[in-house]
Amino acid sequence: MEELTRWFDAEGKEIQKKPMNSNDMEFITEIGGELEESIVGINFYSFQLNKDEISELLGAKPSKAWNPNELHPFGNRGGSRMTNWGKWYLNSARDQNDINDKVKLLFDGLTKNLEHWKTLTSKYEVWVDIAGYINNWNRGFRLDQQSMKLLVDRNLEVVFDIYYEQPEGED
């Protein structure tokens, strides 16, 4: 393939690049690319939350839910607590699958009745959370038009959480 870029020094003389042997090169880092893993979830929050109403209108059971002033599990150590607010949420698996596929799969399992969504979003604080896990810089993703339409039709905002997880053995 013909070289498309030419390089010149400060005096305007063309710099002749010597061909490099790929065996002499050292891999330093990778730039760009997709997230290593992600989770997509929908969250309902309120001081007057009714977890049964949300489950009924959505036609789905949550990953976890509690009403205000109801004892519920907390953290990863088996503890529990009681709060004056309630939460209902449903999450995808944490894996390497495409975020748009996760969004579509999540909403495929929930009601398509937009009146139910209107009722829920007018009564509760509701958002979709996309959590991305990266182990290198400059990672990203995109939401396609179909995913965006699912969110907009249901009057949902999106929260993006990006977590850096340093690979084992790196300082």
Side-chain angles (χ1 to χ4, degrees):
M1 183 170 134
E2 183 180 328
E3 180 83 25
L4 299 178
T5 303
R6 295 170 53 197
W7 300 91
F8 298 87
D9 66 15
E11 285 85 41
K13 295 180 187 172
E14 187 169 1
I15 299 169
Q16 298 295 321
K17 296 199 291 182
K18 297 177 185 169
M20 293 187 78
N21 181 342
S22 62
N23 294 332
D24 296 336
M25 291 187 238
E26 179 183 354
F27 177 76
I28 298 172
T29 190
E30 179 182 333
I31 299 173
E34 297 289 321
L35 304 172
E36 274 71 37
E37 294 183 321
S38 64
I39 298 173
V40 174
I42 186 159
N43 301 268
F44 293 79
Y45 170 90
S46 174
F47 289 99
Q48 291 82 38
L49 189 116
N50 180 333
K51 65 183 182 182
D52 296 329
E53 174 191 36
I54 296 168
S55 294
E56 183 179 326
L57 289 176
L58 291 181
K61 294 186 186 290
S63 299
K64 192 183 289 186
W66 63 89
N67 289 322
N69 302 310
E70 183 177 279
L71 196 62
H72 61 276
F74 175 69
N76 296 326
R77 298 181 188 208
S80 59
R81 70 177 178 178
M82 188 179 298
T83 57
N84 63 346
W85 47 270
K87 189 166 182 184
W88 186 105
Y89 62 94
L90 177 62
N91 292 330
S92 72
R94 176 179 169 173
D95 59 30
Q96 295 176 340
N97 291 337
D98 180 73
I99 286 175
N100 291 289
D101 291 341
K102 289 181 181 194
V103 169
K104 292 167 194 147
L105 186 61
L106 178 70
F107 286 103
D108 279 348
L110 302 174
T111 185
K112 299 189 182 13
N113 183 328
L114 297 181
E115 287 302 314
H116 287 184
W117 284 100
K118 186 176 179 181
T119 297
L120 292 170
T121 58
S122 66
K123 193 171 186 178
Y124 303 116
E125 188 176 335
V126 186
W127 68 94
V128 169
D129 183 56
I130 298 175
Y133 299 88
I134 60 174
N135 62 23
N136 206 337
W137 62 290
N138 194 27
R139 298 285 197 231
F141 65 93
R142 66 180 180 79
L143 290 177
D144 64 24
Q145 294 91 335
Q146 189 178 2
S147 293
M148 295 296 294
K149 182 161 178 42
L150 287 167
L151 299 167
V152 169
D153 286 350
R154 288 155 180 80
N155 192 35
L156 300 171
E157 69 177 51
V158 182
V159 175
F160 300 96
D161 290 321
I162 306 298
Y163 300 94
Y164 173 75
E165 296 180 326
Q166 188 168 346
E168 287 186 36
E170 289 188 15
D171 292 329

